[in-house]
């Protein structure tokens, strides 16, 4: 899980252990890029849902589906610029 404030500390460990018998494993603090769905949702929030002036849920659904088609067609690989040497 990520390092959001609701996922940190002993309280989170206690809840996870009590409910699911799981132990939380966190991503590195400065590694949000590891979770690609969060990157995608951030793009959707900025490019599709803001501003949020929709007349109906059908309009939201239509815009999201059209953006998804556009994003899949336009997406290209990119080069990471981070290295341990920098």
């Amino acid at each position: 899980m990520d390092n959001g404030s609701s996922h940190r500390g002993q309280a989170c460990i206690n809840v996870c252990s009590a409910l699911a018998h799981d132990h939380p494993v966190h991503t590195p603090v400065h590694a949000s890029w590891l979770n690609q769905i969060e990157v995608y949702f951030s793009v959707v929030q900025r490019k599709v849902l803001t501003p949020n002036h929709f007349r109906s849920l059908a309009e939201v659904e239509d815009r999201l589906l059209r953006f998804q088609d556009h994003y899949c067609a336009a997406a290209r690989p990119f080069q990471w610029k981070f290295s341990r040497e920098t």
Side-chain angles (χ1 to χ4, degrees):
M1 66 179 57
D2 65 19
N3 285 289
S5 60
S6 63
H7 300 152
R8 286 184 272 169
Q10 190 61 44
C12 175
I13 293 169
N14 294 344
V15 168
C16 288
S17 297
L19 295 178
H21 304 289
D22 289 336
H23 181 75
V25 176
H26 294 89
T27 58
V29 175
H30 298 291
S32 61
W33 52 269
L34 290 173
N35 191 343
Q36 292 300 298
I37 194 63
E38 286 187 24
V39 173
Y40 180 75
F41 284 157
S42 174
V43 170
V44 167
Q45 179 67 42
R46 287 180 283 118
K47 305 262 186 201
V48 181
L49 300 176
T50 303
N52 60 358
H53 304 296
F54 300 104
R55 291 182 289 262
S56 67
L57 287 176
E59 187 179 349
V60 176
E61 178 183 19
D62 178 61
R63 189 180 296 180
L64 286 167
L65 292 174
R66 285 187 296 115
F67 177 77
Q68 176 181 295
D69 292 341
H70 165 76
Y71 194 80
C72 287
R76 298 288 179 263
F78 53 92
Q79 299 295 318
W80 291 108
K81 294 182 170 81
F82 175 81
S83 72
R84 289 184 177 200
E85 288 75 37
T86 36

mmCIF file of all heavy atoms in Angstrom, residues 46 61 64 68:
data_model
loop_
_atom_site.group_PDB
_atom_site.id
_atom_site.type_symbol
_atom_site.label_atom_id
_atom_site.label_comp_id
_atom_site.label_asym_id
_atom_site.label_seq_id
_atom_site.Cartn_x
_atom_site.Cartn_y
_atom_site.Cartn_z
ATOM 1 N N ARG A 46 -7.292 15.432 -13.569
ATOM 2 C CA ARG A 46 -6.888 16.735 -14.112
ATOM 3 C C ARG A 46 -7.460 17.007 -15.493
ATOM 4 O O ARG A 46 -7.837 18.131 -15.812
ATOM 5 C CB ARG A 46 -5.370 16.841 -14.159
ATOM 6 C CG ARG A 46 -4.745 17.026 -12.788
ATOM 7 C CD ARG A 46 -3.232 17.137 -12.847
ATOM 8 N NE ARG A 46 -2.659 15.795 -13.036
ATOM 9 C CZ ARG A 46 -1.936 15.424 -14.083
ATOM 10 N NH1 ARG A 46 -1.648 16.279 -15.025
ATOM 11 N NH2 ARG A 46 -1.469 14.198 -14.167
ATOM 12 N N GLU A 61 -19.995 9.344 -17.593
ATOM 13 C CA GLU A 61 -19.604 8.062 -18.179
ATOM 14 C C GLU A 61 -19.107 8.238 -19.607
ATOM 15 O O GLU A 61 -18.062 7.696 -19.981
ATOM 16 C CB GLU A 61 -20.785 7.094 -18.150
ATOM 17 C CG GLU A 61 -20.470 5.744 -18.778
ATOM 18 C CD GLU A 61 -21.665 4.820 -18.803
ATOM 19 O OE1 GLU A 61 -22.817 5.289 -18.683
ATOM 20 O OE2 GLU A 61 -21.446 3.605 -18.951
ATOM 21 N N LEU A 64 -15.647 9.911 -19.620
ATOM 22 C CA LEU A 64 -14.610 8.977 -19.166
ATOM 23 C C LEU A 64 -14.280 7.938 -20.239
ATOM 24 O O LEU A 64 -13.101 7.642 -20.483
ATOM 25 C CB LEU A 64 -15.043 8.277 -17.883
ATOM 26 C CG LEU A 64 -15.006 9.120 -16.618
ATOM 27 C CD1 LEU A 64 -15.752 8.429 -15.487
ATOM 28 C CD2 LEU A 64 -13.564 9.418 -16.213
ATOM 29 N N GLN A 68 -10.768 7.481 -22.196
ATOM 30 C CA GLN A 68 -10.066 6.200 -22.164
ATOM 31 C C GLN A 68 -9.645 5.778 -23.563
ATOM 32 O O GLN A 68 -8.503 5.359 -23.779
ATOM 33 C CB GLN A 68 -10.975 5.141 -21.546
ATOM 34 C CG GLN A 68 -10.388 3.738 -21.559
ATOM 35 C CD GLN A 68 -11.345 2.750 -20.960
ATOM 36 O OE1 GLN A 68 -11.649 2.824 -19.780
ATOM 37 N NE2 GLN A 68 -11.832 1.830 -21.764
#
